[in-house]
Amino acid sequence: MRRLNQPLFVPHHPADTNKAPGKWLLSTYAQAQFILNDTVHFTKNNAASRTRGPEPGFDASMLFQDEPEHRRLRSLVEDLFRRTAINRYAEVVSGNAKLLLAEHECGDTLDLVQAFAEPLPLLTITELLGIPKTKMPILRRLSRAITSATDDLTVTESTYATKAAAYKDLGVLMQAGLNGEWEPPQDSLLLRLRNLTNDSTLRQDQAIAMLTLLLFAGHETTIALIGSCLYLLFAHPEQRRLLQANPDLLTGAIEESLRFESPLQRSTFRMTLSDIAIEGHYFGPGEQVSAILGSANRDEKIFSNAHSFRIDRFPNPHLAFGRGNYHCIGRHLSALEARIAIQEFLNHFGKSSLAGQAQWQPNSFVRSLQNLPFHLGA
Ligand code: HEM
């Protein structure tokens, strides 16, 4: 697609409630930048683009509002995600990483997704939100159900139904938290949202959508990042040795993993408000467009040797966290988690090796490993 500079039209599944018949996917870096930065020609108001109004899930969240409502919702929680605020989780993440790794020893063969990449971000996000750890298995199951229906290329009637049920169950769980079913920690996001609904700054549905979005976006993507980064470092031993000899390259290794195997391969869609030209392609009003971030991040016009994994790549202006007004609120949190995860793993088991074929989830939207067989060695 990139070479031909040809957008791809993907029709919506008949069960989809969007007014547009499908969405256009655009693949170059320049097109992705345009789509992510422009808030004049597009609307992100999901509810307005549906035939049947807002749906449970993310519709009432910041991600699917136009300005100024988007900024208002984002600013209610943004301070908690600034780099300095996020650093207070370093100890928690590092403690959890050590505990997870302590369950295994040299000589073990195991699946690192299940044993490490998956539980670590879930432990962190439940801590930040203020949801009891006992809810982790159900949260994980519901999140997986949503992920499986995020891929426009593979959705079916049945994945739609599963996703709708998962949104409903997550809504019930978050509502219970807002209603006081458990007492969240003083500095938790849940407590803040509870207070904001009590003083009518937020509607209940907005608080539920915010919690649901932060839970989902806050761990599904980071699982993908930690898994990919570990895989890439051990599939490219010369890059791993470079990192082990130069620990300062850790941030570079994470940024390069985000570029090379972008956890979200596509942006969320925007709907055109008027006639618009995007880098030579013309769209009328009411059409949906989305940027293929995974492709933009391999655009040879921007990245030399775009298909090589190089942890010392500089500069690395990847778009894995989006750009513009809707850029990822959780980028510092996920980068912190990934840094600690990789550092702790290399400290404990730096001489490990891949123990078979790693499998990617069959999903063209979330790029995440299904399993990562490893043989542990110190
Ligand atoms: C490797 C990890 C992550 C990746 C690759 C990622 C990717 C992205 C991308 C591409 C967007 C923009 C979507 C668009 O414009 O269409 C986004 C937005 C967002 N992300 Fe992340 N994300 C990650 C981690 C997180 C974490 C840890 C959280 C929360 C704890 C989070 C919460 C959000 C939220 C709330 C938005 C919407 C922001 C807005 O509408 O203003 N993400 N993310």
Side-chain angles (χ1 to χ4, degrees):
M1 282 175 67
R2 215 173 36 241
R3 204 168 309 125
L4 297 173
N5 186 11
Q6 187 65 52
L8 174 74
F9 184 73
V10 182
H12 284 312
H13 188 274
D16 199 294
T17 56
N18 274 296
K19 286 177 190 158
K23 59 177 72 123
W24 289 97
L25 306 181
L26 289 92
S27 60
T28 72
Y29 191 92
Q31 290 161 349
Q33 258 192 322
F34 187 109
I35 290 171
L36 295 171
N37 283 319
D38 188 309
T39 50
V40 175
H41 298 93
F42 300 120
T43 173
K44 280 202 100 237
N45 187 332
N46 226 8
S49 67
R50 293 194 194 279
T51 47
R52 282 183 264 144
E55 290 185 358
F58 308 139
D59 278 8
S61 77
M62 66 180 98
L63 185 58
F64 292 119
Q65 310 303 318
D66 292 326
E67 304 303 355
E69 182 64 354
H70 163 260
R71 173 117 306 276
R72 186 185 80 88
L73 292 178
R74 185 167 166 133
S75 66
L76 295 176
V77 294
E78 199 163 23
D79 60 308
L80 295 175
F81 293 95
R82 296 221 167 87
R83 197 192 300 268
T84 41
I86 282 306
N87 283 341
R88 73 200 157 105
Y89 290 101
E91 229 168 279
V92 173
V93 177
S94 156
N96 285 334
K98 286 190 172 89
L99 279 176
L100 290 168
L101 293 172
E103 286 176 25
H104 308 282
E105 51 191 48
C106 283
D108 286 357
T109 299
L110 77 176
D111 171 13
L112 266 190
V113 170
Q114 217 188 1
F116 191 52
E118 199 170 68
L120 192 60
L122 197 51
L123 283 162
T124 314
I125 197 69
T126 44
E127 172 91 24
L128 187 149
L129 294 181
I131 302 179
K133 303 281 175 269
T134 48
K135 310 269 186 212
M136 276 177 42
I138 175 82
L139 292 174
R140 188 70 202 116
R141 186 176 65 69
L142 297 174
S143 183
R144 285 178 87 107
I146 295 171
T147 307
S148 67
T150 51
D151 184 357
D152 300 290
L153 305 185
T154 58
V155 281
T156 63
E157 198 90 32
S158 123
T159 53
Y160 262 109
T162 316
K163 180 174 78 168
Y167 278 146
K168 201 164 144 252
D169 290 351
L170 270 176
V172 170
L173 198 148
M174 299 307 183
Q175 180 77 68
L178 289 167
N179 289 350
E181 188 181 287
W182 64 87
E183 212 33 65
Q186 279 305 315
D187 58 351
S188 68
L189 201 129
L190 176 60
L191 197 62
R192 177 180 293 196
L193 296 191
R194 208 189 264 176
N195 294 335
L196 289 170
T197 48
N198 287 343
D199 72 11
S200 302
T201 306
L202 265 186
R203 298 191 314 261
Q204 287 282 328
D205 64 314
Q206 291 176 318
I208 290 171
M210 175 98 80
L211 286 164
T212 308
L213 174 65
L214 288 170
L215 171 87
F216 177 78
H219 82 285
E220 201 72 47
T221 47
T222 310
I223 293 173
L225 172 60
I226 295 174
S228 302
C229 192
L230 284 168
Y231 171 66
L232 288 166
L233 286 172
F234 283 83
H236 298 83
E238 78 297 344
Q239 295 296 307
R240 188 184 71 252
R241 284 193 288 271
L242 184 63
L243 175 60
Q244 284 168 323
N246 304 277
D248 288 354
L249 286 175
L250 182 57
T251 300
I254 296 191
E255 294 300 307
E256 181 65 344
S257 301
L258 283 160
R259 182 192 75 84
F260 199 77
E261 298 293 7
S262 307
L264 290 188
Q265 288 279 306
R266 294 198 285 279
S267 71
T268 54
F269 72 80
R270 276 80 172 148
M271 190 186 256
T272 53
L273 289 167
S274 52
D275 287 327
I276 183 175
I278 306 177
E279 301 292 320
H281 297 286
Y282 295 88
F283 299 92
E287 300 203 71
Q288 288 186 339
V289 298
S290 165
I292 310 183
L293 304 174
S295 168
N297 286 337
R298 299 280 190 108
D299 191 330
E300 299 82 350
K301 287 196 178 129
I302 305 294
F303 302 99
S304 58
N305 295 317
H307 302 295
S308 300
F309 175 71
R310 288 185 9 211
I311 66 169
D312 56 355
R313 183 180 292 279
F314 187 82
N316 190 347
H318 67 75
L319 300 174
F321 287 129
R323 277 285 163 87
N325 290 11
Y326 298 87
H327 72 273
C328 181
I329 208 173
R331 64 198 187 286
H332 299 308
L333 176 61
S334 59
L336 175 90
E337 291 184 73
R339 272 200 308 277
I340 292 174
I342 305 303
Q343 198 165 33
E344 290 296 341
F345 186 80
L346 291 178
N347 286 348
H348 282 74
F349 300 118
K351 296 219 171 77
S352 301
S353 51
L354 293 170
Q357 189 59 49
Q359 310 270 352
W360 294 97
Q361 280 182 34
N363 189 319
S364 72
F365 178 61
V366 179
R367 178 75 170 158
S368 194
L369 283 165
Q370 196 153 274
N371 62 16
L372 181 55
F374 252 65
H375 186 68
L376 297 184

